[in-house]
Amino acid sequence: MELDETMLEEMRKTILPEIKAAAEDALRAHSAAERPGGENFSDNWVLGCACWRILFNRLNTRLEKHSFFKKKVSRNVMEISCPNGDELFAFYVYRVNDDLRIPRGAKSIKVYLEQQLWLSDEIKSSALAQSSGVNIIGYDISIESGLGNITLDRLCASGKNKFESVPLYDFSTPEQMPDSMTKQSEKIAASIVSSTPEEISKPAVNMDNAEEHAKKFNG
């Protein structure tokens, strides 16, 4: 998949700052939860949920009537689209594990991908199915390490409850990760380790007709 440099630059200018700002807010919240004596009962799950919600709120506000990015929100699932050259590029923003780059939550997206495995042979052999999967801007964050890498990946299903992530682009160069974030990560922490609120939300699309969904996501 060819990625237009204009699209990547717009992601750097608009999406990445919101991820970093949400992480900083969550880090501060975690630090503020520390009680006298050093006890802190705000664990990775609590901090992760806070980070997810802050990021959702920030993107929901920043992308309202945005000149480049368009958003579609349904039951706390946000699909973002933008031009990629002459094509339309749709993606989601999720917290992922740091090695495999698989979203921790994103249950509705995973259900959709699993349903692609059961498409008819005719659809599977089409050009639509050959490009099956969804695009994810993924960030990893933990109490121990703070905000880690930010990447653009293609998430696909390889079986029941089995997913693989194909790397498309890595935003996490030293230029994109300022020293302030590194220092902040060393002082305080935040994490999204377990399921996020997204997991209990309904899909952003109606899952009744898998073949139509394939056309929507891949057409």
Side-chain angles (χ1 to χ4, degrees):
M1 176 186 297
E2 292 189 14
L3 302 177
D4 183 70
E5 182 56 39
T6 298
M7 180 186 71
L8 295 174
E9 183 59 28
E10 289 292 335
M11 289 177 173
R12 293 188 194 100
K13 289 165 48 180
T14 303
I15 306 299
L16 267 65
E18 300 306 325
I19 295 174
K20 295 171 185 177
E24 289 177 341
D25 288 347
L27 290 167
R28 282 193 293 268
H30 177 78
S31 180
E34 185 172 318
R35 303 181 63 82
E39 287 185 318
N40 194 330
F41 297 103
S42 177
D43 60 14
N44 280 329
W45 187 88
V46 174
L47 267 288
C49 289
C51 186
W52 168 82
R53 191 65 203 185
I54 292 169
L55 178 57
F56 180 91
N57 289 342
R58 293 185 70 94
L59 289 174
N60 199 33
T61 299
R62 296 290 185 264
L63 300 185
E64 189 71 29
K65 298 181 180 179
H66 196 275
S67 59
F68 190 83
F69 294 103
K70 307 300 179 186
K71 65 182 173 72
K72 182 189 301 182
V73 178
S74 177
R75 298 184 181 274
N76 292 327
V77 178
M78 182 182 298
E79 179 188 77
I80 305 171
S81 60
C82 63
N84 179 35
D86 296 329
E87 300 177 347
L88 186 66
F89 188 88
F91 64 95
Y92 301 83
V93 182
Y94 284 112
R95 189 248 179 171
V96 298
N97 54 40
D98 60 355
D99 50 355
L100 299 178
R101 314 307 292 178
I102 305 296
R104 299 282 187 173
K107 183 176 181 179
S108 62
I109 303 303
K110 291 176 179 177
V111 168
Y112 157 72
L113 291 174
E114 287 181 337
Q115 289 205 6
Q116 285 190 332
L117 298 174
W118 304 102
L119 297 177
S120 66
D121 292 338
E122 180 180 358
I123 294 296
K124 285 183 178 180
S125 63
S126 70
L128 295 177
Q130 290 175 12
S131 60
S132 63
V134 296
N135 303 306
I136 303 289
I137 290 184
Y139 61 94
D140 61 272
I141 186 170
S142 69
I143 285 178
E144 296 76 18
S145 304
L147 181 62
N149 295 329
I150 303 176
T151 57
L152 176 60
D153 306 285
R154 184 78 171 173
L155 181 69
C156 303
S158 57
K160 181 65 175 178
N161 295 324
K162 295 181 180 179
F163 303 90
E164 58 184 24
S165 184
V166 179
L168 300 178
Y169 191 82
D170 189 348
F171 291 103
S172 304
T173 64
E175 290 76 15
Q176 270 80 58
M177 299 297 290
D179 291 340
S180 60
M181 277 303 299
T182 303
K183 294 176 181 178
Q184 180 80 349
S185 299
E186 293 174 352
K187 293 179 181 179
I188 52 181
S191 180
I192 308 176
V193 166
S194 188
S195 304
T196 67
E198 296 156 291
E199 287 199 318
I200 60 175
S201 65
K202 293 183 179 180
V205 294
N206 188 332
M207 306 304 293
D208 293 336
N209 191 322
E211 296 188 2
E212 288 188 6
H213 300 323
K215 295 179 182 178
K216 174 186 173 183
F217 277 81
N218 304 305

